[in-house]
């Protein structure tokens, strides 16, 4: 019988993590957990409540919020204290503040603890910036998705267009570069390629290619695992 694995997918904004992770989860019958949505939910709540951006205030806020991620037929629904914030957490104000909120250790501690609970029994695909390095350093499958900045900008603009929102290309580029810098240079759990991760450059890949590549890694792992189990049972 195949093992229910933990699949960690990390990488910068726009590398294709969420669509890839969702499809891999669908294919395997696993749960998909978008950890960026959790940091966005805390950021939205902080902006709504005018919370000062410092460790104790934001940490207490993060600890107090009931954040739920629910799979639906058209993607993941995000609820905060029962309120549907799926759209609100993608708005520009949240996007431009989320990396600042994510630097605070107490915010990260609160969310990492929940992410570990959600992935406790395996059978999960989790995407973010620190999943393979901090949240699940022992994940069976670790993937680091990257793509050229131009391509990531192009994807962000197309995604927004599809939501009926017109974005200026240069502004998106500036924000992506700023966010990469903040996410990679912060002191606590910076965005890095986790040890043991397989890097996939998605610049010229379709989503289906990316999904396929990860499914092959899963398949390879399962085959090795069943061989090892067969030998250890002799
Ligand atoms: O994946 P995303 O763009 O929705 O993530 C939003 C921000 O949340 C990202 O810029 C940094 C932060 N984040 C993080 O610090 N750690 C994670 N595991 C996921 C997201």
């Amino acid at each position: 019988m195949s093992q229910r694995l933990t699949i960690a997918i990390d990488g910068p904004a726009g590398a294709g993590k969420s669509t890839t992770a969702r499809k891999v989860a669908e294919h395997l019958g696993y749960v998909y957990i978008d950890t960026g949505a959790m940091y966005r939910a805390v950021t939205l709540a902080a902006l709504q409540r005018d919370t000062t951006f410092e460790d104790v205030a934001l940490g207490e806020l993060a600890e107090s919020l009931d954040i739920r991620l629910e799979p639906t037929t058209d993607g993941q629904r995000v609820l905060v204290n029962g309120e549907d914030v799926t759209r609100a957490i993608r708005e520009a104000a949240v996007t431009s503040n989320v990396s600042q909120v994510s630097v605070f250790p107490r915010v990260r501690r609160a969310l990492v603890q929940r992410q570990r609970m959600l992935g406790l029994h395996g059978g999960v695909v989790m995407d973010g910036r620190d999943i393979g390095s901090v949240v699940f350093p022992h994940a069976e499958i670790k993937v680091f998705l990257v793509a050229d900045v131009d391509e990531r900008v192009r994807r962000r603009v197309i995604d927004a267009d599809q939501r009926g929102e017109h974005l200026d290309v240069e502004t998106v580029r500036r924000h992506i570069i700023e966010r990469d810098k903040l996410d990679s240079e912060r002191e606590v759990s910076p965005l890095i390629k986790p040890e043991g991760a397989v890097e996939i450059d998605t610049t010229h890949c379709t989503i289906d290619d990316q999904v396929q590549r990860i499914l092959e890694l899963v398949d390879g792992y399962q085959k090795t695992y069943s061989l090892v189990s067969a030998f250890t049972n002799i």
Side-chain angles (χ1 to χ4, degrees):
M1 212 188 75
S2 60
Q3 215 188 328
R4 289 178 66 75
L5 309 178
T6 300
I7 303 177
I9 303 185
D10 291 296
K17 296 185 303 291
S18 54
T19 316
T20 308
R22 187 163 34 80
K23 290 199 170 203
V24 169
E26 256 167 42
H27 194 94
L28 296 170
Y30 284 14
V31 175
Y32 163 52
I33 299 161
D34 170 2
T35 63
M38 299 170 84
Y39 289 93
R40 285 172 180 273
V42 175
T43 306
L44 174 69
L47 294 173
Q48 286 171 338
R49 292 164 172 74
D50 226 352
T51 309
T52 313
F53 280 16
E54 55 85 27
D55 198 40
V56 174
L58 286 174
E60 281 177 355
L61 177 65
E63 287 156 15
S64 73
L65 295 175
D66 177 21
I67 304 172
R68 287 173 197 257
L69 307 178
E70 292 182 347
T72 71
T73 46
D74 18 280
Q76 178 187 251
R77 202 152 67 113
V78 184
L79 302 172
V80 173
N81 295 344
E83 185 195 342
D84 188 337
V85 296
T86 313
R87 280 184 77 89
I89 61 167
R90 305 284 157 199
E91 279 169 11
V94 173
T95 303
S96 57
N97 282 287
V98 62
S99 287
Q100 270 102 292
V101 170
S102 311
V103 301
F104 293 103
R106 192 158 161 183
V107 171
R108 304 203 68 83
R109 243 189 339 265
L111 298 186
V112 167
Q113 197 179 20
R114 290 186 206 177
Q115 290 155 13
R116 287 189 176 140
M117 293 297 291
L118 292 169
L120 199 59
H121 303 293
V124 290
V125 184
M126 200 173 277
D127 79 358
R129 304 292 190 287
D130 61 342
I131 311 305
S133 55
V134 173
V135 183
F136 289 114
H138 303 296
E140 289 87 358
I141 307 287
K142 294 186 195 179
V143 175
F144 193 60
L145 289 187
V146 294
D148 282 356
V149 74
D150 285 343
E151 177 58 20
R152 295 192 282 129
V153 170
R154 197 183 70 85
R155 290 176 189 167
R156 271 292 133 103
V157 171
I158 292 176
D159 278 357
D161 264 356
Q162 282 166 352
R163 290 197 303 269
E165 198 185 333
H166 179 71
L167 298 180
D168 172 61
V169 174
E170 279 319 308
T171 311
V172 174
R173 178 191 306 279
R174 207 179 57 247
H175 286 163
I176 283 198
I177 292 172
E178 270 167 22
R179 208 134 71 87
D180 282 357
K181 188 168 155 62
L182 275 170
D183 293 346
S184 316
E185 293 181 359
R186 68 177 173 228
E187 255 171 64
V188 187
S189 320
L191 167 68
I192 49 159
K193 178 178 167 183
E195 213 183 303
V198 174
E199 180 166 321
I200 305 177
D201 185 338
T202 72
T203 310
H204 306 291
C205 277
T206 64
I207 293 288
D208 285 346
D209 293 337
Q210 290 155 219
V211 171
Q212 200 45 45
R213 222 17 244 296
I214 298 173
L215 293 176
E216 281 163 18
L217 294 175
V218 171
D219 202 39
Y221 182 91
Q222 298 285 20
K223 283 189 178 130
T224 312
Y225 173 78
S226 53
L227 265 179
V228 171
S229 321
F231 276 114
T232 46
N233 283 338
I234 288 172

